[in-house]
Amino acid sequence: MTGLAHAARALLAAYEARGGKGEGATPAQLIVALEQAMAAFAALDRAHGPTGALKDEDASALGEYALACLSDLNLWVQRLGCDEERHWLDQATLEVADWVVRHGGRLRILEPLVNALASRANRLRTQEALAVLFDVIGPFIDRVDPAIRDDPDRMAPEHPWRILLFNYAIVATRTQDPERMARAYCLMEAWLPEACPEFFEEALRQSRKPVYGDEVRTLVREYHRRWTARH
């Protein structure tokens, strides 16, 4: 968590340089709250083991609290122009989500997680690294709170569940692994059927780039035909 401590110092310095003004909880308050949550994570790991089962509500509630702090800290990053510190907050976000999943909780706040995963995906260039990221995202998707998955507004372009599934399918395509692609595309079809024509239209366009192999193009064309033929 050394990187997070560095990011905290940078945020506090920028906040003070601005005169210590702004709405909502201050960076200092949020950092203290996040540190307390992280300490609780560590204590529970010592008591129950790194994958020990907790009551679902315990892991979910503590994760929700930490992710809310990280979401607010990301807003401060934007306000204070500390974009280079976002990497450390993204890393902390992934660690919190991983802790929730390992202890059987549900992910109730998705925005910071979606942003952290997208940021990491944008930095990766090799199929091997993208495959690792794909395998990280899968358990997060499995533990998203049902209230988010079943939200009637999940088709809205800015909805985090929609963005998460879109990004999962994009990462799968970039791995060029047909098995991973089929797994992500199946989730798209199950949860976001209305978005499939749009998604596979863009996927088809991207698959024409020289970086993609024939096997990828063939698979994408099959899904594209399946969904464009319905409309």
Side-chain angles (χ1 to χ4, degrees), residues 19-33:
K21 295 180 180 180
E23 297 179 0
T26 68
Q29 291 170 331
L30 292 167
I31 288 164
V32 169

Side-chain angles (χ1 to χ4, degrees), residues 38-52 54 95 98-100 102-103:
M38 293 295 190
F41 291 159
L44 288 166
D45 279 350
R46 289 192 296 271
H48 300 279
T51 59
L54 304 177
E95 290 177 13
D98 177 68
W99 185 89
V100 172
R102 285 190 287 107
H103 288 285

Side-chain angles (χ1 to χ4, degrees), residues 200-220:
F200 289 115
E201 185 70 37
E202 177 61 18
L204 182 65
R205 190 179 70 82
Q206 293 292 329
S207 72
R208 296 191 181 108
K209 294 180 178 180
V211 68
Y212 290 103
D214 290 338
E215 189 173 16
V216 171
R217 294 190 189 94
T218 299
L219 184 60
V220 171

Side-chain angles (χ1 to χ4, degrees), residues 2-67:
T2 304
L4 183 59
H6 171 79
R9 288 194 296 271
L11 278 171
L12 290 174
Y15 179 72
E16 291 169 0
R18 181 173 164 168
K21 295 180 180 180
E23 297 179 0
T26 68
Q29 291 170 331
L30 292 167
I31 288 164
V32 169
L34 184 60
E35 288 174 343
Q36 291 172 344
M38 293 295 190
F41 291 159
L44 288 166
D45 279 350
R46 289 192 296 271
H48 300 279
T51 59
L54 304 177
K55 291 181 179 179
D56 178 62
E57 185 63 22
D58 292 341
S60 302
L62 190 53
E64 182 179 16
Y65 179 75
L67 289 170

Side-chain angles (χ1 to χ4, degrees), residues 71 93 108-116 148 158-160:
S71 183
T93 298
R108 295 175 177 168
I109 295 180
L110 284 192
E111 289 85 348
L113 178 59
V114 166
N115 292 335
I148 296 176
E158 70 279 4
H159 197 283

Side-chain angles (χ1 to χ4, degrees), residues 54-190:
L54 304 177
K55 291 181 179 179
D56 178 62
E57 185 63 22
D58 292 341
S60 302
L62 190 53
E64 182 179 16
Y65 179 75
L67 289 170
C69 291
L70 284 159
S71 183
D72 287 345
L73 282 170
N74 272 296
L75 291 176
W76 277 111
V77 163
Q78 295 175 17
R79 294 173 191 166
L80 299 172
C82 298
D83 289 344
E84 62 187 37
E85 312 305 335
R86 191 181 302 279
H87 166 73
W88 303 114
L89 296 183
D90 288 345
Q91 181 59 34
T93 298
L94 297 179
E95 290 177 13
V96 169
D98 177 68
W99 185 89
V100 172
V101 168
R102 285 190 287 107
H103 288 285
R106 292 283 183 180
L107 295 167
R108 295 175 177 168
I109 295 180
L110 284 192
E111 289 85 348
L113 178 59
V114 166
N115 292 335
L117 291 170
S119 177
R120 176 164 292 190
N122 289 336
R123 294 195 303 269
L124 299 180
R125 295 292 177 264
T126 69
Q127 292 171 225
E128 293 77 12
L130 288 161
V132 170
L133 179 61
F134 178 90
D135 294 342
V136 167
I137 299 173
F140 294 157
I141 288 176
D142 291 342
R143 300 304 298 175
V144 170
D145 192 272
I148 296 176
R149 295 198 312 256
D150 298 331
D151 186 348
D153 296 327
R154 66 178 179 269
M155 281 303 302
E158 70 279 4
H159 197 283
W161 176 239
R162 183 181 190 271
I163 296 172
L164 180 60
L165 292 185
F166 259 69
N167 289 348
Y168 189 53
I170 290 169
V171 169
T173 305
R174 291 177 63 198
T175 70
Q176 301 201 46
D177 177 355
E179 182 178 341
R180 287 184 170 90
M181 291 169 65
R183 199 182 317 162
Y185 294 173
C186 181
L187 283 176
M188 285 285 299
E189 292 180 314

